[in-house]
Amino acid sequence: DEPLGCVHLIDHDDDTLPFLHPWLAAMAVVPGRRGQGIGSALGRALLRDARAMGFQRVWFGTDGPGFYERLGARRHLQRSTTFWTMVFELELTGPPLSG
């Protein structure tokens, strides 16, 4: 009965890249439950919803690209030595993303 995490799909999250949208934003999992697949499940659910809404890509920024690469994201733009703008390329047809 307690929230374990959250993730948001928003229009954009970087004023320097307003032409990239939508964005995955504010993904968080409570510290005591990390490493249990909750973040992966949240990410997959967001991507399923974005694809169902007809989006072809979902953008986001992160200092932890490895987690998202395991979910299928690719690095798009290195913003600093530790921060990346990344993208999930979504196929609009085909089987649902599963986990």
Side-chain angles (χ1 to χ4, degrees):
D1 294 328
E2 291 184 37
L4 300 177
C6 66
V7 65
H8 301 272
L9 184 65
I10 64 173
D11 186 41
H12 75 280
D13 197 27
D14 187 332
D15 290 337
T16 66
L17 300 169
F19 48 90
L20 303 180
H21 60 90
W23 284 68
L24 176 156
M27 183 186 297
V29 175
V30 295
R33 298 299 297 268
R34 292 179 184 157
Q36 298 176 10
I38 295 165
S40 296
L42 288 169
R44 286 190 302 272
L46 179 134
L47 296 173
R48 275 192 304 271
D49 290 349
R51 184 172 65 190
M53 288 183 247
F55 293 114
Q56 295 179 343
R57 291 171 194 82
V58 173
W59 303 89
F60 61 98
T62 185
D63 59 359
F67 169 79
Y68 296 99
E69 287 172 329
R70 288 190 296 277
L71 293 177
R74 68 174 174 79
R75 297 177 194 208
H76 176 72
L77 177 64
Q78 188 169 6
R79 304 303 297 262
S80 73
T81 57
T82 60
F83 195 83
W84 287 86
T85 297
M86 297 183 69
V87 63
F88 285 103
E89 299 282 352
L90 305 178
E91 292 188 25
L92 297 180
T93 59
L97 297 168
S98 61

